[in-house]
Amino acid sequence: MNSWKDQKVPHLIPVDDLLGVAFDHHDHQGAITQLFGLVRSVSDFHRCALYLINENEEFQLQQTDPPGRTGPEWIGDLVEDGIIDWLVQEKKARFIPDLAPHGMAGQSRLLVPLVVRGRGFGFLALEGPHESGFLCPEELDQLVGWASLLGMKIENQLLAEKISQQRHRLDVLERISQRLLLVTDLPRLLAFILDYAIEVVPSEQAALVWVKENGEPFILTSGRKGSPKQRREHLTPVEKWVIGKQSPLMVNDYARDIRFGRKGEDFAFPIRQVLSVPIVPKQGSPGTLTLFNRFGSQGYTNRDFVFLSTLARHVAIAIEIADLYRNVREGYKETILALVNAIEAKDPYTRGHTERVTRYALEMADSLGVEQEEREVLEYASLLHDVGKIGISGKILRKRGALNDVEYREIQKHPEIGERIVRDVRFLARARPLIRHHHERYDGSGYPDRLEGPSIPLTTHILILADALDAMGSTRPYRSALPPETIRRELLKHAGRQFHPAVVEQALRLFFRQQVA
């Protein structure tokens, strides 16, 4: 029988070349590819697989050459029997005897431990022709040496990537924390959180769900680019389990989990892996934050779990803040409506005017894509745009017939009076300019500041038109309500003069069902 003594000594890589490769700058995947390349350059092994110890102190397949999803079948038996642990602790390269059940006759199989800083970091599993087994002990020791050198490079790259990921995760959490201070649009904030979740922990889909008081589920999903788009109406078995148990769940082999088996086949894509954590706000219904199918071969990790749990706490805080904000906002609106009622009691001809102006303004804002925060400011300003009329004589407000010059100049003061009334109300600070300028004109001929065109914000242009629209359609002491066709002609006539053309165009579509080219 041949032995290594009878064989030609294979070529080994010069130390300078090895060091050059070891200190090239690559990510860990590039370092692994280099490692496989070195194996092929010094031996006849034609199949390589690299296993590294993961966070759970388990050997996890990292990469194969040729590329594949699974490593050699015989590795599983050696891991279960504890042989791999022993070989790595021994820090020696060992040939594995031929095992007939695996049909490996005529093959050589070699395990090369990766030893980094005196401890086992992982191992290489090599397969090749029978002749590959004729390596002398010195050559095996050299294999362990240079494999461990590249193992150190791989570990350093992994550590650098972990540090970068951790810094990115902290940056994401800081951004979300900052947004929590301004949570006026909860669905938008939650969508923002989901997008970051699948960016930091690359997955096919992120989903946020909770069961509303009426028993119906609220489901918000976000898919990574290239992943299936999905709108769901029902919870997955995992989400039901997490909500019911109020306990997190990490499953990296969904099909084999006895709790779920093959449940979820009606999903838009096959579920392979799931990471789900509960959302538990102080008040309201519980929910879950869930990631499906992590990209890459590693599956979900403890670091992913910690990050997602932190995000879930941010979601719970966001829900609580949104509830508090909604309660405060309702209190503000009740106060404002009480003030509006006082105004309209003084001028009975305008009763209902404020409500209609607000409705028109918000419909136009929605159709023009106004952001939620600006929409809320517009709502407050619309409700209070005529608050300054409290400072105007009731005789002038209720006068039948046209106003004289003195009376008209007096009525023109109400926007400035309104601004002064709300000046010390902090939550109305952004509404003040709209109240002051709701009688400006697009061409600059309005009052009180003769603003024009681009210097007038879009929300103010919306309020200007909404106020005029209702005024034309309402009966006043000095005239009857104008018919719809007359109002439509007036809007077209004054587009670009009194009104912003784009706002006129939208008003015609919304309230007169007219399509404008």
Side-chain angles (χ1 to χ4, degrees):
M1 179 178 179
N2 291 330
S3 70
W4 61 267
K5 294 180 181 179
D6 303 318
Q7 303 301 313
K8 181 180 177 181
V9 176
H11 171 68
L12 292 179
I13 297 175
V15 173
D16 289 346
D17 293 346
L18 182 60
L19 290 175
V21 170
F23 290 102
D24 282 345
H25 294 289
H26 290 281
D27 59 17
H28 79 275
Q29 296 291 344
I32 293 172
T33 300
Q34 286 183 323
L35 178 59
F36 289 154
L38 287 177
V39 170
R40 290 186 178 277
S41 71
V42 301
S43 72
D44 295 327
F45 292 103
H46 57 67
R47 187 180 183 197
C48 313
L50 175 66
Y51 292 78
L52 298 181
I53 295 178
N54 63 19
E55 295 177 345
N56 300 321
E57 296 298 319
E58 298 172 343
F59 290 108
Q60 183 174 350
L61 179 66
Q62 293 291 309
Q63 198 167 317
T64 63
D65 181 28
R69 290 193 172 184
T70 60
E73 295 180 4
W74 47 273
I75 290 295
D77 294 336
L78 298 181
V79 170
E80 290 180 8
D81 294 340
I83 296 174
I84 297 289
D85 285 321
W86 175 74
L87 289 174
V88 171
Q89 290 172 8
E90 286 286 300
K91 304 172 186 175
K92 296 284 188 181
R94 303 273 183 171
F95 285 100
I96 305 301
D98 211 355
L99 301 177
H102 292 289
M104 298 294 296
Q107 296 278 326
S108 286
R109 291 165 298 165
L110 177 66
L111 287 180
V112 181
L114 275 65
V115 182
V116 177
R117 299 180 181 89
R119 63 177 180 82
F121 176 61
F123 65 91
L124 275 172
L126 309 176
E127 291 180 353
H130 186 58
E131 291 75 16
S132 302
F134 299 118
L135 295 176
C136 67
E138 290 81 2
E139 291 168 339
L140 293 177
D141 289 342
Q142 284 185 300
L143 277 175
V144 173
W146 62 252
S148 295
L149 178 62
L150 289 185
M152 184 178 297
K153 176 181 179 177
I154 293 168
E155 183 187 52
N156 289 339
Q157 292 291 350
L158 286 170
L159 288 173
E161 290 166 19
K162 286 179 182 177
I163 291 172
S164 177
Q165 291 171 2
Q166 192 64 18
R167 292 170 82 174
H168 180 55
R169 292 180 183 202
L170 291 173
D171 180 59
V172 167
L173 294 176
E174 182 180 359
R175 293 184 196 179
I176 292 173
S177 297
Q178 291 172 350
R179 291 206 172 199
L180 287 178
L181 301 176
L182 301 170
V183 54
T184 56
D185 186 351
L186 182 60
R188 187 177 177 188
L189 175 63
L190 297 180
F192 174 82
I193 290 175
L194 285 183
D195 287 342
Y196 268 117
I198 58 175
E199 176 189 329
V200 174
V201 185
S203 303
E204 282 196 49
Q205 187 181 94
L208 192 153
V209 309
W210 67 78
V211 180
K212 295 184 288 189
E213 292 181 358
N214 61 5
E216 295 181 0
F218 172 89
I219 302 175
L220 186 66
T221 65
S222 177
R224 197 168 170 86
K225 186 176 181 180
S227 298
K229 301 297 181 183
Q230 181 189 35
R231 290 186 178 180
R232 292 199 278 128
E233 297 181 358
H234 305 289
L235 306 184
T236 63
V238 167
E239 290 162 338
K240 292 177 182 178
W241 190 95
V242 172
I243 290 176
K245 301 284 187 181
Q246 287 294 284
S247 179
L249 187 68
M250 184 163 64
V251 177
N252 279 324
D253 193 349
Y254 186 84
R256 294 188 179 183
D257 193 295
I258 61 174
R259 290 167 294 188
F260 311 110
R262 299 192 61 81
K263 293 178 181 178
E265 292 178 335
D266 57 343
F267 215 52
F269 48 84
I271 301 177
R272 300 186 305 275
Q273 302 153 332
V274 174
L275 176 59
S276 184
V277 295
I279 299 170
V280 190
K282 291 181 180 178
Q283 295 181 346
S285 303
T288 67
L289 180 59
T290 306
L291 295 175
F292 297 94
N293 297 349
R294 201 189 201 289
F295 291 141
S297 60
Q298 66 175 348
Y300 292 109
T301 66
N302 289 334
R303 283 199 312 278
D304 297 337
F305 167 72
V306 171
F307 176 73
L308 200 66
S309 297
T310 305
L311 278 188
R313 287 194 290 272
H314 279 72
V315 171
I317 293 171
I319 294 171
E320 292 166 12
I321 293 175
D323 285 340
L324 290 172
Y325 184 83
R326 185 163 49 249
N327 292 337
V328 170
R329 186 171 179 271
E330 289 303 317
Y332 286 160
K333 283 187 66 174
E334 289 174 5
T335 303
I336 290 171
L337 289 172
L339 190 57
V340 168
N341 289 336
I343 299 167
E344 294 190 345
K346 187 175 183 180
D347 184 6
Y349 286 99
T350 62
R351 186 164 294 137
H353 169 70
T354 297
E355 180 184 345
R356 292 189 297 272
V357 168
T358 302
R359 185 174 71 250
Y360 296 151
L362 294 183
E363 284 188 46
M364 285 188 284
D366 290 340
S367 66
L368 288 166
V370 173
E371 297 286 344
Q372 176 65 25
E373 291 182 18
E374 291 300 316
R375 182 186 189 277
E376 185 173 300
V377 171
L378 175 61
E379 182 178 11
Y380 288 148
S382 299
L383 289 171
L384 289 169
H385 73 283
D386 277 343
V387 67
K389 287 184 178 180
I390 286 180
I392 304 300
S393 167
K395 290 182 179 180
I396 295 176
L397 294 175
R398 292 189 292 270
K399 181 180 178 180
R400 294 180 177 276
L403 300 176
N404 60 40
D405 290 344
V406 173
E407 293 167 335
Y408 185 66
R409 285 195 296 273
E410 188 67 19
I411 201 78
Q412 284 184 313
K413 294 178 181 178
H414 81 271
E416 296 173 89
I417 296 172
E419 183 200 20
R420 288 198 299 272
I421 289 173
V422 302
R423 180 174 295 166
D424 296 326
V425 183
R426 188 167 55 183
F427 84 92
L428 293 174
R430 294 175 61 189
R432 280 170 46 201
L434 280 76
I435 294 171
R436 180 181 178 89
H437 297 135
H438 74 276
H439 278 290
E440 302 287 357
R441 294 172 60 105
Y442 188 80
D443 61 7
S445 63
Y447 62 87
D449 299 318
R450 301 184 69 83
L451 301 181
E452 62 178 312
S455 63
I456 304 175
L458 176 62
T459 47
T460 305
H461 281 299
I462 291 172
L463 178 54
I464 291 169
L465 191 143
D467 186 32
L469 182 64
D470 186 69
M472 288 187 283
S474 302
T475 297
R476 294 297 170 91
Y478 50 88
R479 63 155 174 79
S480 300
L482 301 179
E485 180 56 28
T486 301
I487 297 174
R488 188 188 69 82
R489 287 199 302 269
E490 286 294 306
L491 292 178
L492 288 170
K493 176 182 177 182
H494 292 283
R497 297 165 62 187
Q498 181 176 354
F499 308 120
H500 192 304
V503 179
V504 169
E505 182 177 324
Q506 203 61 42
L508 293 175
R509 285 196 178 103
L510 286 172
F511 309 121
F512 297 91
R513 299 294 186 267
Q514 177 177 335
Q515 296 299 318
V516 181

